Amino acid sequence: MNNIEICLTPKLFQQYTVDDKIVVIVDILRATTIITTLFHNGLNKLIPVKSLDEAKEYKKNGFLVAAERNGKKVDFADFGNSPFEFTTDKIKDKTLVYSSTNGTNTINIAKQAEQVIIASFLNLSSVSEFLEKQDKDILILCSGWMGDFCTEDFLFAGALSTLLMNTNKFSFNSDSVQVSIDLWNMANQNLSDYIKTIHQYKRLVDFGFQEIVKYCFKIDITKVIPVLDNDYLVELQ
Amino acid sequence: MNNIEICLTPKLFQQYTVDDKIVVIVDILRATTIITTLFHNGLNKLIPVKSLDEAKEYKKNGFLVAAERNGKKVDFADFGNSPFEFTTDKIKDKTLVYSSTNGTNTINIAKQAEQVIIASFLNLSSVSEFLEKQDKDILILCSGWMGDFCTEDFLFAGALSTLLMNTNKFSFNSDSVQVSIDLWNMANQNLSDYIKTIHQYKRLVDFGFQEIVKYCFKIDITKVIPVLDNDYLVELQ
């Protein structure tokens, strides 16, 4: 039996050891949803960067750059934070530098793990099927919101934990995993209604991003799994 | 409208400002349940201390001392961590020095708040009625388990948030509050079954503490509210 844990926000990451674990990075609204979309649309390589200064430096050197802060594209970037911008004609076989408010920081703190993969509702079953075959303990690392708990990442953690538990190859010893499973099973009875209670959902709908938010909760539209390879993300082969 | 927030573990406390808020300390298994019991049974004053060294020093100076680590009474103490030890004949009108694994640390970190009160299922409605009258924002501070999320404190936060929202004097802007309310409403359909899924519940039942754990989920057996007065806890008058 392999173990499942959930880290509710990067601020609690130091509570966990990850050297021998697979870390599953989650930032449903929106970094990991976008990163999944990028590789689904044929991106070759993603360079996650923390600061806007770094992103700007890459831009000067001719790289394509996606960068947002607080949900808005920064002025020098080629792309912002809408998954619909990254069409195949713009990104197929290319390298993209990517910086977001929460998600890319989360990727960087998990680097010492055995393996780091990127998950979202878009590739949920594919991630579960991959993990089932690895015989490794799992830490689901939620990006959260402003350092704190957010529902959308926790719901995803519950959805993934439910699938993993159904394989009979995993166990857990953690209240967060139990509660995430309970919440997912409750919310999933009417997911499109439940997500309306989410703080960040309401905020993004107020900004006019309803279609984007709906997209972020689409389940299993792709099989691709982005994976950290040294300092870059590539598609898991 | 006053605001409700929930801090899921003391490790996230620095995310919040509390200067003008009432902080509600929660450690259902078991510090705040025991502290509520102590004042219900007539204790005059409680001195929360962080380290066992401090507790030992008080003991040398003739104080009554309750001290546990990892659920077990430490050798020099008069009391351990069972609420049933603190009978009226032993503690009425007395001063007690108290140190526990989680709970007393949580009390100490919240000292800069406008007011700090101690809550448990035992005094749930009384706490809600008090808060309703104060016209202050509320932070429910969960002690958690080993620095991480625990279900029992979160369930209590959901129970209290539900009561506060029913007064129509509070609002919230937080995913933790929403999810705690949802979890409480789900769990409360069969609370005695739901608590069996809690990690710390299972651990304490394995130690033979089933009756103690059941007691910790009894709702509204007292009206007393312990409150921090400088460095001591006393009964709110």
Side-chain angles (χ1 to χ4, degrees):
Chain A
M1 285 284 186
N2 290 112
N3 191 42
I4 311 171
E5 293 170 311
I6 300 173
C7 178
L8 296 178
T9 124
K11 298 268 179 197
L12 294 174
F13 186 69
Q14 64 192 15
Q15 299 277 118
Y16 299 88
T17 56
V18 293
D19 296 11
D20 198 36
K21 295 174 192 167
I22 300 178
V23 173
V24 180
I25 310 271
V26 185
D27 184 9
I28 298 300
L29 295 174
R30 295 171 266 171
T32 63
T33 300
I34 287 178
I35 293 169
T36 310
T37 303
L38 288 165
F39 286 95
H40 179 63
N41 287 350
L43 190 75
N44 180 51
K45 186 160 88 174
L46 186 142
I47 306 174
V49 299
K50 195 171 170 175
S51 73
L52 290 180
D53 285 347
E54 273 177 284
K56 206 166 190 170
E57 201 57 37
Y58 273 107
K59 177 68 191 167
K60 279 185 196 155
N61 289 313
F63 282 83
L64 275 179
V65 171
E68 61 82 25
R69 283 299 176 274
N70 300 314
K72 288 177 186 165
K73 178 173 108 65
V74 298
D75 54 0
F76 65 82
D78 303 291
F79 304 93
N81 206 15
S82 164
F84 305 140
E85 297 175 51
F86 302 96
T87 48
T88 302
D89 59 305
K90 289 185 185 146
I91 61 162
K92 190 169 165 56
D93 300 327
K94 300 222 166 120
T95 293
L96 178 74
V97 174
Y98 183 72
S99 176
S100 79
T101 312
N102 279 322
T104 43
N105 289 349
T106 313
I107 295 164
N108 284 315
I109 67 165
K111 275 182 180 171
Q112 76 269 35
E114 168 84 14
Q115 189 167 31
V116 177
I117 65 171
I118 301 294
S120 65
F121 283 105
L122 310 185
N123 65 355
L124 169 63
S125 293
S126 182
V127 165
S128 171
E129 286 156 20
F130 168 72
L131 294 172
E132 185 185 347
K133 293 177 204 142
Q134 305 310 308
D135 194 23
K136 289 281 177 192
D137 292 340
I138 311 294
L139 176 70
I140 304 171
L141 173 51
C142 300
S143 297
W145 176 245
M146 307 287 275
D148 214 334
F149 173 92
C150 79
T151 304
E152 61 274 17
D153 295 349
F154 191 61
L155 270 181
F156 175 85
L160 181 57
S161 298
T162 300
L163 291 181
L164 293 175
M165 290 306 293
N166 287 345
T167 67
N168 295 316
K169 292 183 178 172
F170 291 88
S171 60
F172 63 85
N173 204 6
S174 144
D175 277 351
S176 342
V177 177
Q178 180 65 55
V179 172
S180 78
I181 290 172
D182 295 335
L183 187 75
W184 170 250
N185 286 315
M186 189 193 69
N188 197 31
Q189 290 170 28
N190 190 340
L191 192 60
S192 57
D193 263 7
Y194 192 77
I195 62 178
K196 291 177 188 161
T197 70
I198 296 174
H199 176 64
Q200 181 72 337
Y201 176 97
K202 291 185 267 194
R203 187 169 162 273
L204 291 171
V205 167
D206 286 348
F207 285 164
F209 293 162
Q210 182 147 15
E211 290 311 308
I212 292 176
V213 185
K214 276 189 189 167
Y215 172 80
C216 296
F217 289 89
K218 282 191 191 260
I219 295 174
D220 291 342
I221 68 167
T222 184
K223 288 276 180 195
V224 302
I225 302 177
V227 59
L228 195 63
D229 179 8
N230 294 304
D231 290 334
Y232 309 123
L233 289 170
V234 295
E235 185 181 341
L236 182 74
Q237 298 303 324
Chain B
M1 284 287 184
N2 289 113
N3 191 41
I4 310 171
E5 294 170 311
I6 299 172
C7 178
L8 296 177
T9 123
K11 298 268 180 197
L12 294 174
F13 187 69
Q14 65 191 13
Q15 299 277 117
Y16 298 89
T17 56
V18 293
D19 296 9
D20 197 35
K21 294 174 192 166
I22 299 177
V23 172
V24 180
I25 310 273
V26 185
D27 184 10
I28 298 302
L29 295 172
R30 295 172 268 175
T32 62
T33 299
I34 287 178
I35 293 169
T36 311
T37 303
L38 288 166
F39 286 96
H40 179 63
N41 288 349
L43 189 75
N44 180 50
K45 186 160 88 174
L46 186 144
I47 306 175
V49 299
K50 194 171 170 175
S51 73
L52 290 180
D53 285 347
E54 273 177 283
K56 207 166 190 170
E57 201 57 35
Y58 273 106
K59 176 68 190 166
K60 279 186 198 155
N61 289 312
F63 283 83
L64 275 179
V65 170
E68 62 81 27
R69 282 300 176 274
N70 301 314
K72 286 177 188 165
K73 178 172 108 67
V74 298
D75 54 1
F76 66 81
D78 303 291
F79 305 93
N81 206 14
S82 164
F84 305 140
E85 296 175 53
F86 302 95
T87 48
T88 302
D89 59 305
K90 288 185 186 147
I91 61 161
K92 191 169 166 57
D93 299 327
K94 300 223 167 119
T95 294
L96 179 74
V97 173
Y98 183 72
S99 176
S100 79
T101 313
N102 278 322
T104 44
N105 289 349
T106 313
I107 295 165
N108 284 315
I109 66 166
K111 276 184 179 169
Q112 76 269 33
E114 167 84 12
Q115 190 168 30
V116 177
I117 65 171
I118 301 293
S120 65
F121 283 106
L122 309 185
N123 66 355
L124 168 62
S125 293
S126 183
V127 164
S128 171
E129 286 156 21
F130 168 73
L131 295 172
E132 185 185 347
K133 294 178 203 142
Q134 306 310 308
D135 194 23
K136 288 280 176 191
D137 291 341
I138 311 294
L139 177 70
I140 303 170
L141 174 51
C142 300
S143 297
W145 177 244
M146 307 288 275
D148 215 334
F149 172 92
C150 80
T151 304
E152 62 273 19
D153 295 349
F154 191 60
L155 271 181
F156 176 85
L160 181 58
S161 298
T162 300
L163 290 181
L164 293 175
M165 290 306 292
N166 287 345
T167 67
N168 294 316
K169 292 183 177 171
F170 291 88
S171 61
F172 62 86
N173 203 7
S174 144
D175 277 352
S176 342
V177 177
Q178 180 66 55
V179 172
S180 78
I181 290 172
D182 295 335
L183 187 75
W184 169 250
N185 286 315
M186 188 193 71
N188 196 31
Q189 289 169 27
N190 191 339
L191 191 60
S192 57
D193 263 7
Y194 192 77
I195 62 178
K196 291 177 188 160
T197 69
I198 295 174
H199 177 63
Q200 180 72 337
Y201 176 97
K202 291 184 267 194
R203 188 170 162 273
L204 290 170
V205 167
D206 286 347
F207 285 164
F209 294 162
Q210 183 148 15
E211 291 310 308
I212 292 176
V213 185
K214 276 189 189 167
Y215 172 80
C216 296
F217 289 90
K218 283 191 190 262
I219 295 174
D220 291 342
I221 68 167
T222 184
K223 288 276 180 195
V224 301
I225 302 176
V227 58
L228 195 62
D229 179 9
N230 294 304
D231 289 336
Y232 309 123
L233 290 169
V234 295
E235 185 181 340
L236 182 73
Q237 297 303 325

